[in-house]
Amino acid sequence: MMIGGRHFRSVWLEGGTVRVIDQTALPWKLAILDLANADAAAHAIRTMQIRGAPLIGAVAAFGLALAMRQDPAALQEAAATLRATRPTAVNLAWALDRMVARLAGLPLAGRADAAMAEATAIADEDAAMCAAIGAQGLPLLAGIAAAKGRVNVLTHCNAGWLATVDHGTALSPIYRAHDAGIDIHVWVDETRPRNQGAGLTAFELGAHGVPHTVIADNAGGHLMQHGQVDICITGADRVARSGDVANKIGTYLKALAARDNGLPFWVALPQSTLDLEIEDGVAGIEIEDRGDAEVTHMTGPDDTGALHRIRVVAPGSQAANPGFDVTPARLVTGLITERGRCEASETGLRGLYPERFAPQR
Ligand code: MRU
């Protein structure tokens, strides 16, 4: 992704140093963090200096590689520390399992180099999968544009290049469409409580020149009723075998509103977001509780640029903060993956990823 004429990924290796963009500083400041060790990587994931399911996986992989530089015997311990940082995005466990499987059988002296190579491969593959998601999703947008002349997309949270290594998931087809000259406009849900839409998605789309409008989270249903949304596309943090989708809190309500208005609701993901062990997403996917402070307080700059943290909830009132919800597969029009589009169902996923399913008896 280009920012100010420079190509960035969300995590990269530079002269042996692992670097990330600090997303807690955006959109106010572009700050780059060096991750010195596995603890710094775990801290970055836990505090959401980096966030978004695929990026969490890639940074955890680099974190494990940094741990191998310090103590190659501490493989399982470092993996456990990184695994405990956030519960909902399955990409974290997926990346750590892959790293451990690659490293566990190696002599200690060979682990550090092999770990950095594997983490780099995970990052490169994520960027390639997200680019492919863009190509697989483009025909949906091109079809609407061909029929209507213009496409209005609604998206929730941030499923752009900041949430991945590059390109994004839900935003990848949008970037492709814009670059192909399609007249596209994006309704960006602000995504309370952390405002990943207002802060990050708007920043990304603005940097790429994609026309967009930030809306309060509650505005989407109204816009759908009045013909101002043609299609919804979101990302995912974990997709169950049944096609149930865990994504940022509020996604489910958008899917309900889309269904009531007869609008397509698509979910974009790379295969690292699949959890085929879980059948019923509502019952089986752990939902992160991020604590009340994200709801009770907000941070932003005043007119001089000075950042302030202010309370927005009445003193003494309690707040609850489930970070994700699960949209049942029946509300999802389909999944956009790096291998193609499919129904949100076990049958659909089997068609695209036969090798990930045990042979049927
Ligand atoms: O809590 P976050 O910001 O890590 O949640 C991110 C999301 O829910 C994204 O929509 C999801 O990871 C999409 S993946 C590109």
Side-chain angles (χ1 to χ4, degrees):
M1 178 53 56
M2 303 297 287
I3 304 179
R6 179 175 163 194
H7 178 260
F8 281 93
R9 280 184 168 186
S10 300
V11 61
W12 68 98
L13 195 57
E14 197 172 316
T17 302
V18 178
R19 301 214 148 109
V20 297
I21 294 175
D22 179 359
Q23 300 190 27
T24 60
L26 289 173
W28 326 116
K29 194 168 97 181
L30 182 64
I32 292 166
L33 284 176
D34 291 355
L35 301 180
N37 50 41
D39 284 345
H43 176 81
I45 296 169
R46 200 179 306 108
T47 61
M48 294 176 67
Q49 287 172 323
I50 69 91
R51 30 76 39 217
L55 183 60
I56 289 170
V59 171
F62 278 114
L64 200 61
L66 292 169
M68 293 302 90
R69 273 188 191 162
Q70 282 190 314
D71 180 5
L75 178 63
Q76 300 295 348
E77 192 188 335
T81 301
L82 287 157
R83 199 181 294 267
T85 49
R86 295 190 72 188
T88 303
V90 73
N91 309 62
L92 175 64
W94 172 88
L96 291 169
D97 287 347
R98 175 168 159 176
M99 293 290 289
V100 171
R102 171 76 184 91
L103 302 173
L106 296 183
L108 297 186
R111 284 185 178 177
D113 286 350
M116 207 46 92
E118 191 69 8
T120 302
I122 286 173
D124 288 347
E125 287 169 28
D126 184 68
M129 286 194 290
C130 288
I133 287 168
Q136 300 292 354
L138 177 62
L140 297 173
L141 302 175
I144 296 168
K148 298 188 62 178
R150 185 171 204 230
V151 194
N152 276 296
V153 185
L154 183 142
T155 193
H156 192 70
C157 195
N158 172 260
W161 67 272
L162 285 164
T164 64
V165 174
D166 204 352
H167 307 291
T169 56
L171 296 195
S172 187
I174 291 170
Y175 289 132
R176 286 255 177 169
H178 175 76
D179 293 349
I182 290 172
D183 185 1
I184 190 161
H185 166 264
V186 185
W187 296 108
V188 179
D189 284 349
E190 62 179 345
T191 318
R192 278 283 286 150
R194 284 188 72 95
N195 290 327
Q196 289 96 327
L200 303 177
T201 300
F203 168 80
E204 275 195 30
L205 292 173
H208 200 93
V210 180
H212 63 280
T213 307
V214 177
I215 51 173
D217 286 325
N218 298 327
H222 166 78
L223 294 172
M224 291 181 204
Q225 283 176 324
H226 290 272
Q228 295 185 67
V229 178
D230 300 307
I231 183 172
C232 302
I233 312 179
T234 73
D237 290 83
R238 194 181 287 241
V239 173
R241 190 180 186 97
S242 57
D244 293 346
V245 172
N247 193 51
K248 182 52 58 191
I249 192 77
T251 303
Y252 171 46
L253 289 176
K254 294 299 139 57
L256 283 170
R259 175 56 56 93
D260 191 47
N261 288 282
L263 292 171
F265 187 94
W266 287 86
V267 174
L269 66 143
Q271 62 162 306
S272 50
T273 304
L274 292 174
D275 184 347
L276 302 177
E277 303 293 312
I278 293 181
E279 176 63 37
D280 178 343
V282 176
I285 297 177
E286 182 178 349
I287 300 296
E288 180 177 16
D289 178 351
R290 289 203 56 87
D292 63 350
E294 291 181 352
V295 177
T296 56
H297 288 75
M298 293 178 81
T299 301
D302 63 19
D303 288 345
T304 71
L307 283 181
H308 297 281
R309 183 169 180 270
I310 57 163
R311 186 174 175 98
V312 293
V313 170
S317 290
Q318 283 191 336
N321 188 11
F324 300 88
D325 59 26
V326 175
T327 300
R330 66 178 182 276
L331 297 176
V332 178
T333 305
L335 306 174
I336 309 167
T337 80
E338 76 282 0
R339 290 200 186 167
R341 301 189 301 272
C342 72
E343 185 183 87
S345 68
E346 178 169 341
T347 307
L349 289 168
R350 270 184 193 278
L352 289 183
Y353 301 103
E355 76 284 4
R356 291 202 48 186
F357 289 81
Q360 272 180 315
R361 291 168 195 247

